[in-house]
Amino acid sequence: MARKNKILDIEDIHTYYGESYVIQGLSLYVEEHEAVSILGRNGVGKTTTLRSVMGLTPPREGKIHIDGTQTTRWPAHKVSRMGVAYVPAERHIFPGLSVEENLLLAARPGRGKDAWDLEKVYRQFPILSDRRKQDGSTLSGGEQQMLAIGRALVSNPKIIILDEPSQGRSPLMVEMVTDVVRDFCVASGITLLVVEQNYRMALNVATRHYLMGTKGRIEGIATTSELREDPQIIQNHLAV
Ligand SMILES: Nc1ncnc2c1ncn2[C@@H]1O[C@H](COP(=O)(O)OP(=O)(O)O)[C@@H](O)[C@H]1O
Ligand SMILES: [Mg+2]
């Protein structure tokens, strides 16, 4: 079988905040059309991993490739122009801009029949359509999450990277966001990397999971079915 194209390939990165050595050798990859999660407790280095990829906190050592191009230590705007849509945990909706303006600013032409545009986002997220003239920052938390995901989609990226989409959300909102990610991102074949402490969400959206321990160490890799068959793996991994 032909090897699939790796959209994101992280090879043995080491990342610091000043003297603080936070990611001590991390490797992982995401293939085209694959939905992958990084599961780990608070503070293990999930966000720092994403910041390393985005060039916000560049790794001191190691290599990062995006769709075959080496992007290690590239500035964030160049990484994003490679087709990486990053949705941080605090969603950065531009205040003072309407929902529509938030989407327009992110929109980039896509190719083929699966390309995303504003109309497609409005079809899939009717709530955003209803609120299109409203200031984005006045939306509820869950609606802002949807707007952030809608913004990622209209940029027609090669990969969407979500940092803890369930963080601070009510169970109902987590369910709604899970449905959105699964039905609109995963179902349409978008390549996805999602970082979570909430394993239910991770298992519902991703098919392959990296279990991250302290200092960004990968302690295991498992498929969704393996983790569902043996829930103890997750219990052990996420236990404090
Ligand atoms: N800006 C920063 N400066 C110094 N240390 C930080 C900074 N951000 C995070 N850290 C530390 O790095 C470690 C990993 O943090 P983080 O990547 O945010 O973990 P996670 O996203 O898994 O909760 C933690 O020990 C955290 O305290
Ligand atoms: Mg984090």
Side-chain angles (χ1 to χ4, degrees):
M1 211 173 74
R3 289 269 336 127
K4 282 217 194 133
N5 189 19
K6 284 179 186 169
I7 297 293
L8 174 64
D9 194 8
I10 300 177
E11 291 169 83
D12 194 27
I13 58 165
H14 298 255
T15 306
Y16 298 69
Y17 292 108
E19 291 307 301
S20 178
Y21 185 14
V22 173
I23 302 289
Q24 304 190 357
L26 162 71
S27 300
L28 64 81
Y29 65 86
V30 183
E31 290 179 342
E32 191 167 16
H33 304 309
E34 197 184 21
V36 168
S37 94
I38 302 175
L39 262 172
R41 292 192 312 269
N42 195 28
V44 294
K46 301 182 300 297
T47 297
T48 306
T49 300
L50 303 185
R51 293 182 60 87
S52 302
V53 170
M54 294 312 296
L56 296 164
T57 308
R60 276 196 207 160
E61 287 173 56
K63 283 194 176 64
I64 296 169
H65 285 83
I66 293 167
D67 200 15
T69 301
Q70 211 208 122
T71 60
T72 326
R73 288 181 293 278
W74 279 19
H77 68 275
K78 277 186 75 182
V79 175
S80 116
R81 240 185 268 147
M82 279 296 295
V84 184
Y86 174 47
V87 181
E90 44 318 298
R91 281 157 288 278
H92 295 302
I93 299 306
F94 301 126
L97 297 183
S98 68
V99 166
E100 181 139 303
E101 288 165 341
N102 265 278
L103 291 170
L104 280 170
L105 276 177
R108 293 219 198 117
R111 272 182 292 167
K113 60 170 174 44
D114 290 331
W116 285 82
D117 58 19
L118 262 66
E119 283 317 310
K120 185 165 172 185
V121 167
Y122 287 148
R123 262 201 315 281
Q124 305 288 15
F125 306 78
I127 198 117
L128 296 181
S129 179
D130 296 344
R131 307 228 189 292
R132 62 173 88 183
K133 299 293 173 219
Q134 204 172 311
D135 190 309
S137 63
T138 66
L139 300 182
S140 75
E143 292 163 356
Q144 288 196 25
Q145 179 77 67
M146 274 186 250
L147 177 53
I149 294 171
R151 256 186 356 196
L153 288 167
V154 291
S155 76
N156 286 296
K158 288 186 177 130
I159 182 169
I160 293 182
I161 296 181
L162 296 176
D163 193 353
E164 297 216 39
S166 77
Q167 193 184 75
R169 301 273 85 93
S170 67
L172 195 68
M173 274 302 159
V174 171
E175 208 177 301
M176 208 155 86
V177 171
T178 301
D179 289 348
V180 159
V181 172
R182 195 183 44 216
D183 299 346
F184 306 148
C185 302
V186 178
S188 64
I190 283 185
T191 307
L192 182 75
L193 176 62
V194 58
V195 151
E196 267 297 348
Q197 294 184 56
N198 181 333
Y199 67 90
R200 285 190 190 85
M201 162 129 207
L203 292 186
N204 277 325
V205 300
T207 56
R208 201 161 62 79
H209 310 271
Y210 289 93
L211 308 179
M212 183 178 278
T214 50
K215 308 290 180 194
R217 292 199 185 91
I218 298 301
E219 295 175 340
I221 306 172
T223 63
T224 297
S225 37
E226 285 166 345
L227 293 179
R228 287 201 200 281
E229 270 160 37
D230 188 357
Q232 199 58 42
I233 299 174
I234 290 186
Q235 294 310 320
N236 294 343
H237 175 67
L238 293 177
V240 186

